[in-house]
Amino acid sequence: MHRRHTPTVLIAGVPVGSAHPIVVQSMTNTDTADVAGTVAQVAALAEAGSELVRVTVNNDEAAAALPRIALGLERLGLSVPIVGDFHYNGHLLLTRYPDCARALAKYRINPGNVGGKRRDEHFRAIIEVAVANDKPVRIGVNWGSLDQDLLTAMMDANADRPEPLDARDVTMEAMVESALRSAELAESAGLPHDRILLSAKVSGVQDLVDVYRRLAARCDYPLHLGLTEAGMGMKGTVASAAALAILLAEGIGDTIRVSLTPTPEGDRTEEVRVAQQILQSMGLRSFTPQVTSCPGCGRTTSTLFQQMAQDIQGYLQGRMAEWRITRPGVEALRVAVMGCVVNGPGESKHADLGISLPGTAEDPRAPVYMDGSLLTTLKGETIVPDFLAILDDYVARRYPAIPDAAR
């Protein structure tokens, strides 16, 4: 798939840009001043596969906690880059707390709330800290906090046009203009071109596609994609997948975040898994073995194939913590669990390992296919454990374990 060409931005060793895989990132929702809680959540996100983790730096306590958070992660053996998210007072916190400025791998600035009448002065102060510490910066425009002076000026200019544009179009253009002007200001303050990333986040799918198409056409900076407020559960997942899939298919986007609202006491790592699945479903990256399974119909009154598909997916996910380290390449494994003879054999042959379970009125036989060829036929009450044994053997042979000394 063609990718839009960009420079490479290095974020504490993680390369972001068109020459490299699209990076998955996430954000904590802990009080950053709570060192233990933040370390635990960053660790969970990193272990789920988040390659960058952003934290809120909103007050003195949060800024003072960053070096201790970095130390806590180091003690856990984790080197995931931490990004500082600044609004309103970033210029003060980064200059007051030089250890915080050094501990962070990247700074995120919102040009819409960096400082009112003294916006350029405060923005420049953050850039000067970034330059002094050799840190990259994401200039993140949000339509909910768009630079009102810029938007008003552009709306006034639009009103004077013979044929004024729709207010939505002016807002989209203002977002792009805010990002590009800020990037120009950052470079004039000494930040190298290859230390800048841009984002222009909105909460609507069509709006997101529109604004990123405009932004991508007018610059070559790496772009961070994501709906700014995706929502909860299915709504957030579907909206994120719909928006990001369109842009990624057009080669736009170098790092993504899926901003899901978690349920109370919910699992924050869900947003990481959704982001990974979007990339894997599009064939852009592989993170975990995939199980293809049919939805079921009147031919599959038995729930055996449903339970088996669930068990196999859970089994693979449970083993990935170990396999990711010891058996590289296993993340690309494809397994098919099909419920009847209609599509079962064909889908099974297209997978690395597949099983076609007996549907209603079919013989109680389950042919197993390996690398496109029939391997064996399972029968009886032990079909599921027998197939899992075949799966284990296949993984062991196809993805040999790396010796401890070579890891």
Side-chain angles (χ1 to χ4, degrees), residues 24 248 256 273-291 330-334:
V24 171
L248 293 169
I256 66 172
R273 292 190 292 274
V274 172
Q276 290 177 329
Q277 191 60 56
I278 290 170
L279 294 177
Q280 187 148 353
S281 295
M282 296 193 66
L284 294 169
R285 292 190 65 180
S286 293
F287 297 96
T288 189
Q290 298 290 285
V291 175
V330 73
E331 62 275 3
L333 176 68
R334 295 168 303 148

Side-chain angles (χ1 to χ4, degrees), residues 225-250:
L225 301 186
L227 291 168
T228 188
E229 296 105 3
M232 295 184 72
M234 182 182 295
K235 185 270 181 185
T237 298
V238 172
S240 295
L244 269 57
I246 294 170
L247 292 167
L248 293 169
E250 296 178 4

Side-chain angles (χ1 to χ4, degrees), residues 26-369:
S26 57
M27 186 174 183
T28 61
N29 61 356
T30 57
D31 178 355
T32 307
D34 174 6
V35 173
T38 302
V39 167
Q41 193 172 87
V42 171
L45 291 166
E47 288 165 1
S50 185
E51 294 155 304
L52 302 172
V53 177
R54 184 157 44 113
V55 301
T56 296
V57 188
N58 58 331
N59 54 37
D60 293 87
E61 292 77 15
L66 254 301
R68 288 179 287 151
I69 291 169
L71 181 60
L73 293 168
E74 183 181 338
R75 287 172 175 165
L76 293 175
L78 294 172
S79 58
V80 59
I82 304 301
V83 179
D85 193 61
F86 294 97
H87 298 272
Y88 306 106
N89 58 356
H91 59 294
L92 298 174
L93 297 175
L94 284 168
T95 50
R96 283 180 192 160
Y97 297 91
D99 287 346
C100 168
R102 286 189 288 268
L104 292 168
K106 183 180 77 172
Y107 312 150
R108 184 273 175 134
I109 314 172
N110 183 341
N113 58 32
V114 77
K117 298 294 184 183
R118 302 176 67 185
R119 172 196 173 280
D120 288 357
E121 176 187 339
H122 295 167
F123 183 91
R124 185 178 290 272
I126 297 175
I127 298 301
E128 288 173 353
V129 175
V131 171
N133 288 279
D134 191 25
K135 305 293 185 180
V137 169
R138 172 163 70 93
I139 297 168
V141 179
N142 276 18
W143 74 344
S145 52
L146 184 57
D147 183 341
Q148 291 303 299
D149 291 337
L150 173 63
L151 180 60
T152 299
M154 292 183 67
M155 286 290 187
D156 289 344
N158 181 62
D160 292 335
R161 293 167 59 105
E163 297 183 11
L165 300 174
D166 182 88
R168 172 192 175 277
D169 286 332
V170 179
T171 301
M172 297 293 104
E173 280 299 311
M175 292 185 67
V176 172
E177 191 65 24
S178 177
L180 296 179
R181 287 188 186 184
S182 298
E184 182 179 1
L185 179 58
E187 290 200 46
S188 71
L191 191 65
H193 188 77
D194 64 357
R195 303 300 274 164
I196 298 172
L197 304 95
L198 300 182
S199 66
K201 290 191 173 185
V202 297
S203 56
V205 171
Q206 293 294 346
D207 292 327
L208 191 84
V209 172
D210 187 7
V211 74
Y212 272 98
R213 282 174 173 166
R214 297 179 190 219
L215 185 58
R218 292 172 57 183
C219 71
D220 72 343
Y221 298 108
L223 300 181
H224 166 119
L225 301 186
L227 291 168
T228 188
E229 296 105 3
M232 295 184 72
M234 182 182 295
K235 185 270 181 185
T237 298
V238 172
S240 295
L244 269 57
I246 294 170
L247 292 167
L248 293 169
E250 296 178 4
I252 298 171
D254 304 285
T255 175
I256 66 172
R257 186 214 169 181
V258 174
S259 301
L260 296 180
T261 304
T263 57
E265 306 302 321
D267 185 357
R268 190 68 167 181
T269 63
E270 181 184 4
E271 68 176 47
V272 178
R273 292 190 292 274
V274 172
Q276 290 177 329
Q277 191 60 56
I278 290 170
L279 294 177
Q280 187 148 353
S281 295
M282 296 193 66
L284 294 169
R285 292 190 65 180
S286 293
F287 297 96
T288 189
Q290 298 290 285
V291 175
T292 299
S293 57
C294 70
C297 66
R299 299 178 64 92
T300 55
T301 53
S302 168
T303 60
L304 174 60
F305 83 96
Q306 299 167 346
Q307 187 63 52
M308 189 171 184
Q310 184 180 50
D311 290 347
I312 292 171
Q313 186 72 68
Y315 180 78
L316 291 169
Q317 289 174 348
R319 296 301 304 273
M320 277 306 293
E322 173 196 347
W323 284 351
R324 189 175 289 112
I325 299 169
T326 62
R327 299 186 182 277
V330 73
E331 62 275 3
L333 176 68
R334 295 168 303 148
V335 179
V337 180
M338 305 303 295
C340 79
V341 74
V342 173
N343 291 319
E347 288 283 358
S348 296
K349 289 177 183 178
H350 288 301
D352 297 310
L353 193 63
I355 183 169
S356 178
L357 295 169
T360 304
E362 292 178 24
D363 292 337
R365 299 158 57 86
V368 175
Y369 296 85

